[in-house]
Amino acid sequence: RSKTELRALCHACSPPRMSREQLAVERARRAFSTGRSKPLAYRIRQLNNLRRFLVERQSEIAEAAKKDLNRSEVGIQLFETLGLESEIQLVIKNLKKWAAPRAVEKNLVTLSDTLYIQPEPLGVVLVIGAWNYPWAVTLFPLIGAIAAGNAAVVKPSEVCVHTSKVMEELLNAYLDKELYPVVTGGVQETQELLKQRFDHIVYTGNSMVGRIVMEAAAKHLTPVTLELGGKSPCYIDKDCDIPLACRRVTWGKFTNCGQTCIAPDYVLCEASIQDRVIDEMKKCIKEFYTDDPKSFLDYGRIINERHFRRILAMTEDSTVAVGGESDHTECYIAPTILRDVKAGSKVMQEEIFGPLLPIVPVSGLEGAIDFINQGEKSLVIYVFSTDKKLINRLIEETSSGAVLANDCLVHYSVSSLPFGGVGNSGMGCYHGKFSFDQLSHLRSCMVRPLKNEGMNSMRYPPHTPGKLGWARFFLVQAPDLALMGWRWTDAASCHLSTVGWSTSITFRIKYHMYEFSA
């Protein structure tokens, strides 16, 4: 045969070349199969390396954030890296306890058994980050994945071009590059990643892409954690400290130029206080960002021109009360407040994700609850009031990923609270121990002694009324040992003897003796 024919034959017989994304996943899975990610000492070493990266590479991280989002060096630490350092510290401190077998309650049937839950790694996790807080929303799940003993493929958002490059070039200099590879690229690369089989996927972004991620995951029966945002409402009670409420709402809304998934999306208040709310917020905008936010160091920019145009279009059928200035050459939009906004206005049809704050007049708390419940479930509901009954009523009569009363955003920083959505705002949660549990398989373990066969007689054929009576006693009618003061650690004092179907059970509860026999 000719050389050309031989080359064609060899090419046809050779296996297809793996894509960069497929290769990264396969390497991560092979590395995980070696078991090196499982020892606690190895996990802690990797977490310490990640913390060292955040400290030693702070200048590169800040420089990239400045180019991508016009964020200051202090701002990037305050809103992203400081929280990550705190999370790593918390995980390292508690990892041994979280990873240990977890004892569970017993009943009369299982008194002589060993019962516990053993957390174990899932395998290979895919973390798809977002651009608005590119370090926090990408590395928080990664911390949980490492802590739980998994391998993880990290896909930063391509929208933050400079941050994505820093993550790709520097992160693997500190972490095991086989277990925790960084894969960069756009839509095509993300789609290629989603074709691969993972053991869990964590995605932060919008609900439209969230559906695509979930559909791709379903092909492999892969569980997902989706943090999807939404329109988070903020109700201001007319009897609260309005200046203080407006100060906190202004900060929560315009931080990061409004590009925060848990930012107050719109304000609900009675018409009688709308003017005062606007005046107080106008004062706060001037205090926080001066008369010229455009030149102020700590006021950011819209991420790109597409989002800039999208946000401006939302103002077309609303009345601007404060701000409204913009500059497309810098993707700058001033802090803007819209008054007398209706439910059908353009700005109320989707998550704003920008520096526009609509004020929607309502009749009061009942009107606010009705308005909230007509929309999709949000990531958080904010309420400002000194009336505990009012706050409790709003909590009881609405549903959302979280509720925060009398402040904005700060619940995200509390590691003892799960962070996540519900319904259209997402599923699953992370932060602290919740990240560890979310990215672990909580394996049920039961070890029985190979004796006491008489106890099992009730389950074997032939099935008789007498055996049913014993089963009912053990499973339904038995006394609640915990309420009677019996502790599961008292198992050693429990005596169980069975001879055929003549059974006598004696156990001691504190200083009282109980005996059942048949």
Side-chain angles (χ1 to χ4, degrees):
R1 297 183 179 182
S2 67
K3 292 182 179 179
T4 303
E5 289 177 321
L6 288 173
R7 280 197 297 267
L9 181 63
C10 290
H11 179 75
C13 295
S14 62
R17 181 178 297 178
M18 296 176 71
S19 67
R20 181 171 63 105
E21 295 75 26
Q22 187 178 4
L23 190 60
V25 176
E26 287 301 312
R27 284 175 176 169
R29 194 166 294 282
R30 284 200 301 270
F32 175 77
S33 68
T34 66
R36 71 173 182 259
S37 66
K38 294 183 180 180
L40 296 188
Y42 188 85
R43 305 183 203 182
I44 290 172
R45 185 160 66 250
Q46 294 298 306
L47 290 169
N48 276 321
N49 289 344
L50 183 56
R51 178 166 54 184
R52 191 161 54 85
F53 162 77
L54 293 169
V55 173
E56 294 178 358
R57 298 295 186 170
Q58 184 59 54
S59 60
E60 290 95 331
I61 291 170
E63 183 181 355
K66 179 68 176 177
K67 292 177 180 177
D68 287 328
L69 291 157
N70 195 43
R71 193 176 295 166
S72 68
E73 183 171 355
V74 173
I76 188 71
Q77 292 185 56
L78 185 62
F79 292 108
E80 298 209 59
T81 60
L82 193 62
L84 290 167
E85 291 180 53
S86 175
E87 180 85 347
I88 292 171
Q89 182 174 308
L90 174 76
V91 171
I92 290 175
K93 177 183 176 182
N94 292 283
L95 186 56
K96 184 177 180 181
K97 179 173 62 177
W98 294 348
R102 305 174 188 180
V104 298
E105 290 188 356
K106 298 181 180 181
N107 57 29
L108 286 179
V109 177
T110 59
L111 279 178
S112 59
D113 302 331
T114 301
L115 306 178
Y116 61 96
I117 297 170
Q118 178 63 63
E120 65 176 17
L122 291 172
V124 181
V125 175
L126 172 61
V127 177
I128 305 176
W131 55 262
N132 59 327
Y133 291 90
W135 291 101
V137 299
T138 306
L139 297 193
F140 264 112
L142 177 61
I143 291 168
I146 295 172
N150 299 293
V153 177
V154 179
K155 172 59 180 68
S157 171
E158 71 278 7
V159 178
C160 276
V161 178
H162 303 91
T163 297
S164 178
K165 185 177 180 182
V166 169
M167 207 174 289
E168 179 184 33
E169 292 180 351
L170 299 182
L171 194 57
N172 286 147
Y174 289 79
L175 298 179
D176 186 321
K177 61 184 179 182
E178 291 183 336
L179 277 170
Y180 315 111
V182 177
V183 177
T184 59
V187 174
Q188 183 177 344
E189 288 76 12
T190 304
Q191 290 174 337
E192 181 64 26
L193 274 175
L194 290 172
K195 292 177 183 177
Q196 314 308 315
R197 183 176 69 84
F198 290 94
D199 299 289
H200 198 101
I201 298 175
V202 182
Y203 167 75
T204 302
N206 61 62
S207 58
M208 181 183 69
V209 178
R211 289 181 174 90
I212 295 172
V213 170
M214 196 169 182
E215 183 179 357
K219 294 176 181 178
H220 301 287
L221 294 180
T222 299
V224 296
T225 300
L226 305 176
E227 192 277 278
L228 304 178
K231 294 186 75 65
S232 296
C234 175
Y235 177 66
I236 300 179
D237 179 25
K238 66 179 181 179
D239 295 322
C240 77
D241 185 336
I242 292 178
L244 182 54
C246 290
R247 181 181 179 85
R248 294 181 179 181
V249 173
T250 302
W251 169 76
K253 177 62 183 183
F254 299 112
T255 291
N256 198 32
C257 208
Q259 298 166 121
T260 305
C261 61
I262 52 173
D265 193 87
Y266 59 94
V267 167
L268 298 168
C269 67
E270 293 187 31
S272 61
I273 66 169
Q274 180 179 212
D275 289 339
R276 189 179 177 197
V277 166
I278 292 171
D279 289 342
E280 293 295 340
M281 289 185 177
K282 184 176 181 180
K283 294 176 187 176
C284 293
I285 291 171
K286 182 177 180 179
E287 177 190 350
F288 294 162
Y289 304 112
T290 73
D291 287 322
D292 184 17
K294 186 178 180 181
S295 62
F296 189 65
L297 179 65
D298 287 315
Y299 188 72
R301 296 294 184 269
I302 305 304
I303 186 65
N304 56 35
E305 192 171 342
R306 181 175 69 85
H307 282 285
F308 172 84
R309 291 195 302 267
R310 177 188 64 82
I311 295 166
L312 278 187
M314 292 182 177
T315 66
E316 291 173 357
D317 60 350
S318 295
T319 302
V320 175
V322 177
E325 300 84 9
S326 64
D327 181 352
H328 72 90
T329 63
E330 293 187 21
C331 288
Y332 165 79
I333 299 177
T336 299
I337 300 174
L338 307 174
R339 64 173 300 135
D340 296 312
V341 175
K342 309 297 183 186
S345 301
K346 289 183 178 180
V347 76
M348 298 302 294
Q349 304 313 304
E350 63 176 282
E351 183 179 7
I352 297 169
F353 225 66
L356 310 180
L357 183 59
I359 299 180
V360 182
V362 291
S363 58
L365 177 63
E366 189 168 339
I369 291 173
D370 289 342
F371 191 94
I372 291 168
N373 287 338
Q374 287 172 15
E376 296 282 3
K377 295 179 181 180
S378 61
L379 199 51
V380 59
I381 294 175
Y382 297 108
V383 54
F384 286 82
S385 177
T386 55
D387 186 343
K388 292 184 179 179
K389 290 183 178 178
L390 184 151
I391 295 170
N392 288 336
R393 183 182 171 192
L394 186 138
I395 293 173
E396 291 170 0
E397 297 185 20
T398 62
S399 179
S400 60
V403 174
L404 175 53
N406 298 320
D407 211 340
C408 291
L409 310 187
V410 295
H411 65 292
Y412 182 85
S413 65
V414 182
S415 293
S416 56
L417 290 174
F419 178 74
V422 60
N424 205 60
S425 60
M427 61 184 68
C429 60
Y430 59 90
H431 276 184
K433 186 174 182 289
F434 300 99
S435 298
F436 180 88
D437 286 349
Q438 184 85 96
L439 298 176
S440 296
H441 170 54
L442 302 182
R443 192 179 192 183
S444 299
C445 298
M446 179 177 184
V447 181
R448 309 206 77 177
L450 200 58
K451 55 184 180 180
N452 296 333
E453 185 63 5
M455 172 68 80
N456 294 328
S457 296
M458 71 181 88
R459 74 189 191 192
Y460 296 139
H463 303 306
T464 65
K467 292 179 180 180
L468 177 62
W470 269 106
R472 179 173 294 278
F473 167 74
F474 280 113
L475 298 176
V476 180
Q477 296 176 338
D480 189 327
L481 303 184
L483 289 178
M484 299 173 71
W486 193 84
R487 297 169 300 174
W488 306 117
T489 53
D490 293 338
S493 67
C494 172
H495 170 69
L496 176 64
S497 63
T498 58
V499 181
W501 190 239
S502 232
T503 308
S504 176
I505 301 171
T506 306
F507 57 93
R508 186 178 300 277
I509 302 175
K510 287 190 175 178
Y511 301 103
H512 303 284
M513 184 72 73
Y514 293 82
E515 184 169 348
F516 300 86
S517 60

